[in-house]
Amino acid sequence: MNVDEMLAKARESMQARTVFGEPVERGGLTVIPAAKVRGAGGGGGDAQHNGGGGFGLDARPAGAYVIRGDEVRWEPAIDLNRIVLGGQLVAVVALLVLRAWLKRRS
């Protein structure tokens, strides 16, 4: 695959349909899922037309638009793993500060 083909595929990947999922309708309620999408790529070649490249795409759930009648509201996605990791980091820092404080007292 040459660099032009790679860039064309990257362009196809970074469209609104990548960010917004297919709407789901049930009982007068429509849900449109949304994601945070990031992409990066690179390529290169030499004078003999040897080349290569690569492209990476990262997508994470962001939330969903919920539509009922004329009302639209945003419901954010909750990443429980990120919350737990944040709590663990805060606990480790608190324990290190407590340890340093106790050493100074004695």
Side-chain angles (χ1 to χ4, degrees), residues 25 34 52 60 62 86:
E25 296 181 40
R60 294 176 181 260

Side-chain angles (χ1 to χ4, degrees), residues 23-26 28-32 65-68:
V24 177
E25 296 181 40
R26 296 264 174 5
L29 187 73
T30 304
V31 177
I32 303 172
Y65 287 101
V66 179
I67 304 168
R68 182 185 307 245

Side-chain angles (χ1 to χ4, degrees), residues 28-65:
L29 187 73
T30 304
V31 177
I32 303 172
K36 296 177 184 176
V37 179
R38 296 184 306 174
D46 59 16
Q48 287 79 31
H49 302 292
N50 297 316
F55 181 75
L57 190 66
D58 177 41
R60 294 176 181 260
Y65 287 101

Side-chain angles (χ1 to χ4, degrees), residues 85-102:
L85 178 62
Q88 289 172 340
L89 289 174
V90 168
V92 166
V93 169
L95 288 173
L96 290 173
V97 168
L98 179 63
R99 183 179 131 207
W101 182 73
L102 289 173

